Amino acid sequence: MPKPPSTQKLFASFQFKLFLVFTLLTLVMTSVLSIIYITNQIKEKRNHADESVDLLSRQLAVSVRLPLYAENNLLLAQIIEEVVKTPEIGKIVISTRDGRVLAQAGSLSESADKLVKTTAVDSNPMALSPETAITAENPEAAVVIGYVRLERDMGGLKSMIRNMVINVTVISLLFWLSVTVLCFLVLRKVTSSFNALVHGVEKMCLGDYQSRISIVSRDEPGRVGMAINQLAETLWQREEENQRLHSKLIQAEQMARENERSIKNLLDSLPVGIIWSGRDGKIQYANNFLVERFGLDSNAACTAPEWFKRVTPDEENVRRITESRSAVMLEDGEDCAGIISYEARMTATDGSERSIILSTRTINNKIVDLLIDVTDRELLQNQLLKIAKLESLGVLAAGIAHNFNNVLTGVMGYITYAQKFLENSHKSFEPLELAVSASQRAAELAKQLMAFARGGAPDKKPVALEKLVMESTLLAVIGTQTHHSLQVAPQLHMVNADASQLHQAFSCIAINAVQSMPSGGRLIIRLDNCRLEAGNNLGLPRGEYVEILFEDQGGGIPEENRKNIFVPYFTTKANVGSGLGLATTHTIISGHGGTITFRSIVGEGTTFTIYLPALEKTDNQP
Amino acid sequence: MRRFMLLILAFAILLPSLAQAYDVLVLQSRRDPAYEEALRGFKAVSNASQRLLVMSDYAELDLVRIVREERPRLILAVGDNALSAARKIRQIPVISLMALGVHTGTSQPSNLTGVGMYVSPEQYLNLFRQMKISKVGVIYNPVKSGWYVREAYQAAHRMGINLVLREISSPRDILSSLYSMTGKVDALWMLPDTTAVTRETAEGYFRFAQSQSIPLISFANAYLGLGAAAVFDLDRYELGRQAAGIATRVLDDSKADSGPYPLYPRKSMLKTNPAILRNLGIMISSSSND
């Protein structure tokens, strides 16, 4: 049966242990001392009895010396009759040296507990023979002349001893009990300071460093209590400091994690690829750019060289990449001060080849590869180059058109003037009419050329593109086997544009799409709002745009033609087009602050995407 | 080398003869300071050549052979054992010194003389008279002390002192003899009788004297501390000197002294126990006190 907690606590208390130890010690000492006392008393009484018998025996021996020597039995009997009356003397026997009993008095049973003392009766050593008296200085040794045997009854002694033992035991017990009670009272008083100390320390153990031990005395426990109070104060302050530092640590860790997340987010948001790998080549991290653009998973088990080899189609590129990376890894472990950059072409997940500028360096004993996709920049640069070319052509065309128009004006003027001198029936009148028509067509061409060159300053007004696109598309698809569909995003932005110019541009694209599907097909037009951020790869400023997408299912644009489609007079349909349509469309869109791009897959179709700046909404606009 | 050996041989032959050339063979019972004190007295007077033989140094001593071979002119027997041994010698004079058993109950040999240990009875009787004592108890063995008691009795009679005599033949009779004198004596006279006074019974004298409140007069200083009221102590040195005088005369005459044997000691000292005398109410004058 388990003991109740209070009992266990009682038994474990210092006060109880001290009390128990002291009580047991007192009991042991009392017992030992009592035993020693009793033993000594018994021994003393026995010795006393023995000594008394011995003394009596020797006295008797001295007394009976002469009668014994004289063998005066009567005198001996008289003497011992008196002596045998001594209490507890049971029997006296006087015998000669040869054992002959001369006198005997008293009797004791053989079984009685008795003390027997036999004393030799010597001749008086002080008594001198005449020879010794007149010659020797040292007396002669005594001579035994007989024996005196005394028998003492020890029964009385036993009862005396028993009484003595009982008395001593009772007294010892009383002493021990009184000492125990006094000890308990004293200990309770003395250990009160310990209790206060224990109570205070227990509270501190539970973490309450602000509690203090009550000081009830100035003795050692009191001093210990004061010291523990100081210790608690110190611990509390340290606890506070620890908590503060712990909070700071947690904050710092959080901040570090956030920083790491931010850095990773930043790295993932960067439009460049970052790989870092160990010196063994194992990829430890690859940012989102590489995951999305080239399908590299940072958890992939491949090494960086293996991945580079997989995405780089050209062996020469692979070799160059490998050599460059190896040159960096040859550094002795410190961060590579020099950054080695080199250009390579890699295959993206969509199968397209991208121009990549690769730079490799070591940081903290890791190999960091930086991949910058300059494909779009190159395209942009090409487009800018094209635009510059187009602008140059435009300027040239404008100059030529202007001069040609001037010349044509003169020609048409003179022809018209000449016609005034001729009758309508004149045989030169018709040729002159044809010449006027041709001149007019030439003037028209000049006009188109000038329109292409200058672009014509757009007359911008808020335009809802849905209707405009629909009209432009209908105009292109009517009468053909091409089906069209228009998907408009809700709450499409309006644009600030010249409707007629946009109409012209949309019509051109729609006509091209229809012409690419001579057997019919589907033309899908999508209008959607989009937001472009700064630094986008379209080269447009940050802001809201409307995205107009023309997707056809035509034959696609061959690779070799793609770079020329916006070049004036470039056409693959020389019999049906002048080659200025897309160039004019490009000019119009650029004049509106937008851009036009395309994506084409041979055998599947082409998608033209136009971005036009959205009209900034004011309170008056819907 | 030969001469040296002859010299040694001569010494070996002559030395015994040289050793034999002494007058007095001192036969001492044992090595004892008292004997040696007496011998000093003897030597102080006698210039005769001497040889000392201590009987206790030998397990067995053939005195007859020694006397026969060495032919001393005189034997000085110091102590009772020496005297007993010397009694076997009849052809040369024997002087006893410091011996108690001078009388053996038989006739004394003619070559025996010496100084006895008994102080003259007159001295004791004068003391008794001085102490105003009229009845004196005496216990004695007639064989050993009869000669002395007779003299003492006669002297006491002349002085008006009654000697209450008790004869014993065994020390065991002493106590009964003492008890028989209860109330009958005024003093007790302890004689240097080896039968009347033994180690076992000497105490009885003192107890009797104490119980009877009578003075006990003894013959040795050692008894003063045991209860004797007065003693006549002998000067051993003087005994030796006295014996030397006898020896000189004997050596001159080459025969034993024809005077009485034994001779009484020339000098004795009376020593008293003042406390006992005071307790007994007796006043006497003494030459020296202990």
Side-chain angles (χ1 to χ4, degrees):
Chain A
M1 183 178 173
K3 294 179 182 175
S6 60
T7 310
Q8 281 181 337
K9 195 174 178 182
L10 173 65
F11 288 158
S13 69
F14 176 69
Q15 183 181 12
F16 177 77
K17 286 182 184 175
L18 202 62
F19 172 71
L20 187 65
V21 166
F22 191 80
T23 303
L24 291 176
L25 192 64
T26 309
L27 179 63
V28 167
M29 287 182 65
T30 305
S31 304
V32 168
L33 291 173
S34 299
I35 291 170
I36 291 171
Y37 176 75
I38 290 171
T39 308
N40 278 345
Q41 282 295 304
I42 292 172
K43 191 175 174 184
E44 200 171 296
K45 287 188 185 307
R46 286 190 180 276
N47 288 342
H48 177 70
D50 190 62
E51 284 172 2
S52 67
V53 169
D54 183 61
L55 183 63
L56 189 61
S57 172
R58 283 190 279 118
Q59 283 180 343
L60 188 59
V62 170
S63 300
V64 302
R65 182 183 295 130
L66 292 174
L68 174 61
Y69 181 75
E71 295 188 5
N72 189 339
N73 294 354
L74 184 61
L75 185 58
L76 288 172
Q78 287 176 354
I79 293 171
I80 63 176
E81 282 296 334
E82 287 298 317
V83 176
V84 82
K85 293 176 184 175
T86 307
E88 300 185 356
I89 296 295
K91 184 178 178 181
I92 302 174
V93 177
I94 298 178
S95 59
T96 61
R97 187 169 60 182
D98 53 3
R100 187 159 42 90
V101 175
L102 299 180
Q104 181 174 307
S107 64
L108 274 178
S109 64
E110 288 298 322
S111 61
D113 186 11
K114 56 188 177 183
L115 175 65
V116 178
K117 186 70 180 179
T118 302
T119 305
V121 182
D122 302 328
S123 58
N124 192 342
M126 298 306 296
L128 304 172
S129 62
E131 297 89 340
T132 307
I134 61 174
T135 55
E137 292 180 358
N138 297 322
E140 297 161 315
V143 175
V144 175
I145 58 176
Y147 297 97
V148 172
R149 188 172 86 239
L150 259 68
E151 293 181 6
R152 186 185 192 276
D153 185 14
M154 300 298 281
L157 180 65
K158 279 195 171 179
S159 65
M160 193 189 308
I161 290 172
R162 187 167 50 246
N163 292 338
M164 184 268 297
V165 168
I166 292 170
N167 290 338
V168 169
T169 303
V170 169
I171 292 171
S172 300
L173 196 60
L174 289 174
F175 169 75
W176 177 72
L177 285 173
S178 59
V179 168
T180 300
V181 170
L182 286 172
C183 171
F184 175 74
L185 296 173
V186 169
L187 278 177
R188 197 169 62 175
K189 182 79 168 70
V190 169
T191 59
S192 60
S193 58
F194 279 106
N195 291 335
L197 184 64
V198 167
H199 182 65
V201 172
E202 280 177 348
K203 287 175 75 177
M204 287 177 197
C205 286
L206 293 174
D208 183 8
Y209 293 132
Q210 289 185 299
S211 71
R212 295 289 176 266
I213 298 170
S214 55
I215 308 299
V216 299
S217 61
R218 303 293 291 183
D219 55 6
E220 285 82 356
R223 292 204 295 270
V224 171
M226 285 191 284
I228 291 177
N229 285 341
Q230 289 177 0
L231 180 64
E233 179 68 24
T234 305
L235 287 174
W236 178 65
Q237 289 174 359
R238 287 194 183 179
E239 182 72 14
E240 293 275 307
E241 182 68 17
N242 284 345
Q243 284 178 358
R244 189 181 63 78
L245 291 175
H246 185 63
S247 314
K248 279 191 176 178
L249 178 66
I250 291 172
Q251 285 175 6
E253 285 178 352
Q254 280 178 352
M255 202 176 291
R257 283 196 291 272
E258 284 172 6
N259 288 339
E260 187 181 344
R261 268 201 303 273
S262 300
I263 289 172
K264 282 202 172 175
N265 288 340
L266 178 65
L267 291 177
D268 286 338
S269 66
L270 289 177
V272 296
I274 297 177
I275 304 173
W276 69 62
S277 54
R279 285 202 170 255
D280 58 353
K282 182 105 172 48
I283 295 173
Q284 295 172 358
Y285 171 75
N287 69 342
N288 275 351
F289 178 84
L290 289 173
V291 173
E292 290 171 358
R293 186 65 60 90
F294 293 96
L296 170 61
D297 187 359
S298 61
N299 293 326
C302 66
T303 62
E306 288 172 357
W307 180 74
F308 278 122
K309 191 175 180 181
R310 196 159 63 224
V311 299
T312 308
D314 192 13
E315 288 291 332
E316 178 61 25
N317 275 334
V318 172
R319 186 188 61 77
R320 199 149 46 94
I321 291 171
T322 306
E323 283 177 1
S324 301
R325 296 184 84 254
S326 299
V328 172
M329 288 166 58
L330 285 176
E331 294 293 326
D332 60 0
E334 294 179 355
D335 292 350
C336 178
I339 300 172
I340 300 177
S341 301
Y342 43 91
E343 196 168 336
R345 291 193 68 80
M346 295 181 182
T347 306
T349 49
D350 60 1
S352 60
E353 270 199 17
R354 312 293 294 181
S355 294
I356 302 294
I357 293 180
L358 203 63
S359 60
T360 305
R361 64 173 299 169
T362 56
I363 300 175
N364 291 337
N365 208 31
K366 292 190 191 324
I367 309 296
V368 179
D369 294 292
L370 191 66
L371 289 79
I372 303 175
D373 189 352
V374 296
T375 309
D376 292 337
R377 191 176 70 181
E378 284 182 353
L379 274 174
L380 194 60
Q381 282 178 347
N382 291 339
Q383 284 181 351
L384 288 174
L385 192 61
K386 286 179 199 172
I387 291 170
K389 278 187 189 175
L390 287 173
E391 283 181 358
S392 300
L393 281 174
V395 170
L396 181 64
I400 295 171
H402 180 71
N403 293 331
F404 190 68
N405 203 35
N406 290 338
V407 172
L408 278 176
T409 302
V411 171
M412 285 176 62
Y414 284 117
I415 293 175
T416 305
Y417 185 67
Q419 279 183 330
K420 288 184 174 181
F421 293 105
L422 298 174
E423 297 293 332
N424 294 344
S425 58
H426 194 273
K427 64 175 171 187
S428 299
F429 188 84
E430 188 174 350
L432 288 173
E433 266 310 304
L434 290 172
V436 168
S437 296
S439 297
Q440 284 176 342
R441 284 203 302 278
E444 187 63 29
L445 275 174
K447 186 179 174 184
Q448 286 183 355
L449 199 59
M450 286 174 67
F452 161 72
R454 284 195 297 270
D459 184 15
K460 293 184 180 178
K461 292 181 181 148
V463 174
L465 289 175
E466 179 180 352
K467 183 180 176 186
L468 190 63
V469 168
M470 178 59 74
E471 287 175 355
S472 305
T473 307
L474 278 175
L475 200 62
V477 300
I478 283 178
T480 66
Q481 296 180 347
T482 301
H483 301 283
H484 75 286
S485 65
L486 181 61
Q487 299 171 2
V488 181
Q491 296 185 343
L492 186 70
H493 296 318
M494 297 180 72
V495 296
N496 200 24
D498 189 329
S500 60
Q501 287 187 5
L502 287 184
H503 188 279
Q504 181 182 353
F506 296 153
S507 298
C508 176
I509 294 171
I511 290 169
N512 282 341
V514 170
Q515 288 177 352
S516 71
M517 297 182 287
S519 302
R522 192 168 189 84
L523 174 63
I524 301 169
I525 304 105
R526 296 191 186 90
L527 286 81
D528 197 359
N529 295 326
C530 77
R531 181 175 177 79
L532 295 179
E533 296 296 333
N536 57 77
N537 57 356
L538 296 173
L540 291 174
R542 173 173 169 269
E544 294 291 331
Y545 289 83
V546 176
E547 184 187 58
I548 307 105
L549 195 142
F550 292 87
E551 183 180 348
D552 64 44
Q553 295 176 335
I557 303 172
E559 180 70 30
E560 60 274 14
N561 296 333
R562 289 178 190 178
K563 58 182 181 294
N564 296 321
I565 61 170
F566 292 117
V567 175
Y569 300 109
F570 175 80
T571 178
T572 57
K573 305 182 291 286
N575 54 339
V576 295
S578 62
L580 289 175
L582 284 179
T584 305
T585 301
H586 186 276
T587 302
I588 291 170
I589 299 300
S590 299
H592 282 79
T595 189
I596 178 170
T597 62
F598 69 95
R599 184 170 61 86
S600 181
I601 299 175
V602 176
E604 289 186 15
T606 303
T607 301
F608 280 91
T609 307
I610 297 170
Y611 294 90
L612 290 170
L615 177 65
E616 289 181 4
K617 289 186 179 177
T618 60
D619 291 340
N620 295 328
Q621 290 177 348
Chain B
M1 186 64 184
R2 186 180 293 177
R3 288 183 185 174
F4 182 71
M5 291 302 293
L6 285 174
L7 191 63
I8 291 173
L9 188 60
F11 268 114
I13 295 170
L14 290 175
L15 199 59
S17 62
L18 288 174
Q20 293 174 2
Y22 61 88
D23 296 329
V24 181
L25 174 63
V26 178
L27 187 66
Q28 184 174 330
S29 297
R30 62 179 185 275
R31 293 187 185 277
D32 193 285
Y35 295 155
E36 286 161 9
E37 185 182 356
L39 274 178
R40 281 198 294 275
F42 181 87
K43 289 175 184 177
V45 175
S46 171
N47 54 6
S49 57
Q50 303 164 18
R51 183 194 173 193
L52 175 64
L53 273 180
V54 181
M55 292 180 66
S56 60
D57 292 346
Y58 301 90
E60 193 174 336
L61 185 65
D62 189 354
L63 184 61
V64 175
R65 180 187 64 79
I66 294 172
V67 169
R68 183 176 62 247
E69 291 177 359
E70 297 178 6
R71 294 192 298 276
R73 296 176 62 192
L74 173 66
I75 295 176
L76 177 66
V78 182
D80 284 274
N81 288 345
L83 178 59
S84 298
R87 287 181 186 276
K88 302 175 187 173
I89 307 299
R90 297 302 177 99
Q91 63 273 26
I92 56 174
V94 175
I95 299 174
S96 72
L97 174 62
M98 297 289 289
L100 286 168
V102 293
H103 283 274
T104 60
T106 58
S107 60
Q108 297 297 327
S110 61
N111 65 329
L112 181 62
T113 186
V115 181
M117 300 300 291
Y118 287 80
V119 174
S120 65
E122 286 78 9
Q123 294 194 39
Y124 281 98
L125 294 170
N126 286 332
L127 178 63
F128 289 133
R129 189 168 62 183
Q130 188 178 352
M131 294 166 69
K132 297 180 175 56
I133 290 171
S134 60
K135 292 181 285 186
V136 179
V138 181
I139 302 174
Y140 69 102
N141 185 346
V143 173
K144 295 180 181 178
S145 304
W147 64 274
Y148 182 81
V149 171
R150 283 191 292 276
E151 282 189 32
Y153 190 86
Q154 291 172 4
H157 183 71
R158 287 194 296 274
M159 291 182 179
I161 295 174
N162 183 22
L163 292 184
V164 178
L165 301 175
R166 295 288 186 269
E167 292 182 1
I168 59 168
S169 59
S170 164
R172 295 184 189 279
D173 301 331
I174 294 173
L175 288 180
S176 57
S177 299
L178 282 171
Y179 290 133
S180 69
M181 288 192 286
T182 303
K184 297 177 181 175
V185 295
D186 298 328
L188 207 57
W189 184 357
M190 181 189 282
L191 299 179
D193 185 322
T194 55
T195 302
V197 179
T198 64
R199 187 172 53 200
E200 293 82 4
T201 59
E203 184 184 353
Y205 283 87
F206 303 110
R207 284 194 181 183
F208 181 80
Q210 182 190 10
S211 65
Q212 299 294 309
S213 298
I214 56 176
L216 184 146
I217 310 301
S218 184
F219 56 89
N221 188 43
Y223 293 124
L224 270 180
L226 296 178
V231 299
F232 280 96
D233 196 23
L234 297 176
D235 189 337
R236 303 181 189 94
Y237 188 81
E238 281 299 320
L239 290 176
R241 286 170 59 86
Q242 189 175 351
I246 299 172
T248 303
R249 286 196 302 276
V250 168
L251 287 174
D252 290 338
D253 295 338
S254 298
K255 61 179 179 185
D257 195 352
S258 61
Y261 173 74
L263 295 172
Y264 288 120
R266 267 196 318 237
K267 190 175 178 182
S268 64
M269 291 178 293
L270 174 64
K271 294 182 180 177
T272 61
N273 189 330
I276 294 177
L277 290 176
R278 189 168 51 248
N279 289 338
L280 295 175
I282 299 173
M283 293 183 64
I284 58 173
S285 60
S286 60
S287 59
S288 65
N289 294 327
D290 280 342

